Amino acid sequence: MKVGDAQRSCPATAAGSAVAVAPRGAGRRSWARSAVRCWQNVRVDQPEGDQPVRRGSVTLHDVAREAGVSYATASRALNGSERTVRQENVARVRAAAVRLGYVPHASAQAIARGSTNTVALVVSDVDDPYFLMIAAGVIDAAEDAGLIVTMAVADRSPGLELQIVRTLRGHRPRAIVVAGSRVDGSGERAPLIEELETYRASGGRVAVISQPDLPFPTLAVDNGGGARRLALELAGLGYRRFAVVHGDDAIRTSRDRRTAFAAGLREAGLALDPGCEIETDFSRAGGYAAADRLAELARDGVEAAFVVTDVMAVGAMTGLRAAGLRPGPDLAVAGFDDIEAACEVTPQLTSVRAPLREMGRQALEAALSGEPAGVIDVPVEVVLRDSTPPRRRGAGSARTVIVGGATHVTAGEGHDIAASSQADGYLA
């Protein structure tokens, strides 16, 4: 079943202070935004008694003439070329630049160095906390390396993503990190690989946060394993009838989580009833739009809903309240990603935790270090909270279980862990 546009107006998510929200047009967003955080502590000693000379449109030729050196020497001194320049000439050129008020041209510096002091992050949606947490990690790593981050938004469009990467090549960033689910059937995979390979051949570095599909260092979240373990945990809590809210199956993240959750239910001896898979937009508004159908299913006896992202789950919980149901007591709700908002909603949202900020940091570090192509597996853990209260009596205090190498919290003594979890798990 596919849900169309919401009939009720979905309350907008508050914009964070770190990124300004651009106005939306009537159609697809054709813009990209930049999020830049930069700490600069640059000091050039000026000879005592010399005062800066204010001139209009000072050029590098003026600096070279003032310093008494060639244009090439002045360029190497200011642009950080690998060619050796005597220290006394470097000092003279920098002092001349200060006196004249010269400001280096960023594009010219990029040509001289082969790259800029920036790194680029391409994300699917800047309004999604999932990508903001990844961006925070990329910024952390960039600051450690003394670099600036430019963030561009592809709006979940493979065509726009390709266009952004093509444009970024001309700006010569030190590295490009692409974050977002691969989309099947778009036709942009081969051209994207070609663009990134050409960029890398010219000295650039690349990393990807997505499914292991592109021939570059890739941080891949265990979407299948996380969704499967979540299904087993919810079955262990006593839930027997489920619904799944998901996006278009062309979005691999959504499809992988949906199919793995269904597989986990089958392991527990359960199955989804016909009509209990709800396709909607891969967004908070999509989760909200699915709430009407969820409310109908809840009244027909469905006990729990797995929503394939936390952002969608928060929208679904808001929609359930608008429909007169209580998330948790009337219909249990679980998400995936464990964004910060999962602990800020009421009831707190059960989720599958992925270390998003650390993923961003690791991705940029892998790119800058020249990590070879390959998959860096990102483990996840199930975290049970109040949005999925135990349905069995006699549940005691929470406990931690290690399943398949991942740590997650379960209910207490009244919670029967599924047989497959018992086979590969142990109490911590």
Side-chain angles (χ1 to χ4, degrees):
M1 175 180 179
K2 183 172 182 178
V3 176
D5 294 335
Q7 295 180 350
R8 298 186 299 269
S9 174
C10 178
T13 302
S17 59
V19 180
V21 178
R24 296 176 182 265
R28 177 175 293 278
R29 285 176 293 180
S30 59
W31 47 268
R33 295 195 281 265
S34 292
V36 178
R37 197 190 319 182
C38 174
W39 278 259
Q40 292 180 322
N41 184 20
V42 180
R43 178 175 180 269
V44 178
D45 290 330
Q46 182 176 308
E48 187 174 350
D50 289 345
Q51 297 298 323
V53 179
R54 300 290 182 181
R55 298 182 185 175
S57 189
V58 177
T59 68
L60 187 57
H61 284 287
D62 296 328
V63 174
R65 190 180 305 111
E66 178 76 11
V69 299
S70 69
Y71 176 88
T73 296
S75 175
R76 293 168 192 153
L78 293 178
N79 293 329
S81 170
E82 294 179 357
R83 297 280 297 275
T84 302
V85 179
R86 291 201 304 272
Q87 193 58 42
E88 59 267 28
N89 285 341
V90 172
R92 287 165 59 190
V93 170
R94 290 180 176 175
V98 170
R99 287 197 300 272
L100 297 177
Y102 172 71
V103 178
H105 193 283
S107 296
Q109 284 189 324
I111 293 172
R113 295 173 176 168
S115 66
T116 64
N117 65 338
T118 65
V119 294
L121 171 62
V122 184
V123 299
S124 295
D125 185 357
V126 79
D127 296 330
D128 189 332
Y130 174 93
F131 293 107
L132 292 181
M133 292 174 72
I134 288 174
V138 171
I139 291 171
D140 289 342
E143 289 173 358
D144 290 346
L147 301 172
I148 302 168
V149 177
T150 297
M151 185 165 67
V153 183
D155 199 25
R156 303 193 189 279
S157 165
L160 182 55
E161 181 183 66
L162 174 62
Q163 178 185 336
I164 289 170
V165 169
R166 188 171 287 148
T167 301
L168 286 172
R169 278 185 52 210
H171 290 276
R172 300 174 183 254
R174 196 80 56 87
I176 296 176
V177 176
V178 180
S181 176
R182 298 299 91 203
V183 178
D184 289 336
S186 65
E188 268 80 19
R189 179 181 181 275
L192 178 63
I193 292 174
E194 182 179 357
E195 287 293 333
L196 290 172
E197 289 281 20
T198 302
Y199 163 73
R200 190 166 62 175
S202 67
R205 304 292 178 85
V206 177
V208 178
I209 302 174
S210 187
Q211 290 77 27
D213 178 62
L214 302 178
F216 307 100
T218 301
L219 277 80
V221 173
D222 185 10
N223 289 312
R228 166 188 163 271
R229 290 195 291 271
L230 176 63
L232 294 172
E233 288 296 326
L234 294 180
L237 285 175
Y239 293 97
R240 293 294 175 263
R241 297 189 61 193
F242 294 85
V244 176
V245 178
H246 61 94
D248 191 322
D249 267 2
I251 302 172
R252 292 190 192 177
T253 296
S254 177
R255 185 185 66 216
D256 291 350
R257 294 175 181 180
R258 177 186 67 80
T259 57
F261 186 83
L265 292 181
R266 288 193 295 272
E267 279 190 56
L270 304 172
L272 288 167
D273 294 337
C276 288
E277 292 183 283
I278 306 169
E279 180 182 330
T280 186
D281 189 61
F282 199 59
S283 66
R284 184 177 186 273
Y288 189 91
D292 282 337
R293 176 58 181 159
L294 284 177
E296 293 175 4
L297 292 173
R299 294 182 180 108
D300 288 339
V302 167
E303 301 162 343
F306 168 50
V307 189
V308 296
T309 74
D310 286 352
V311 171
M312 296 173 70
V314 170
M317 291 170 70
T318 303
L320 286 172
R321 286 195 186 88
L325 297 182
R326 298 168 300 165
D330 295 333
L331 180 69
V333 179
F336 199 117
D337 297 323
D338 201 34
I339 61 175
E340 291 181 356
C343 291
E344 297 169 354
V345 295
T346 301
Q348 292 188 347
L349 179 65
T350 286
S351 188
V352 180
R353 177 180 297 156
L356 301 176
R357 187 164 187 154
E358 183 59 25
M359 285 164 51
R361 171 182 282 279
Q362 287 186 24
L364 183 55
E365 289 175 347
L368 293 175
S369 66
E371 186 90 16
V375 178
I376 304 169
D377 292 316
V378 179
V380 296
E381 57 179 327
V382 176
V383 182
L384 300 180
R385 299 192 179 99
D386 292 344
S387 68
T388 56
R391 291 184 64 82
R392 291 185 176 178
R393 294 181 180 178
S397 59
R399 57 180 177 168
T400 300
V401 174
I402 312 296
V403 178
T407 303
H408 53 103
V409 178
T410 75
E413 298 171 356
H415 173 191
D416 297 328
I417 303 173
S420 59
S421 293
Q422 290 176 334
D424 60 5
Y426 60 91
L427 295 180

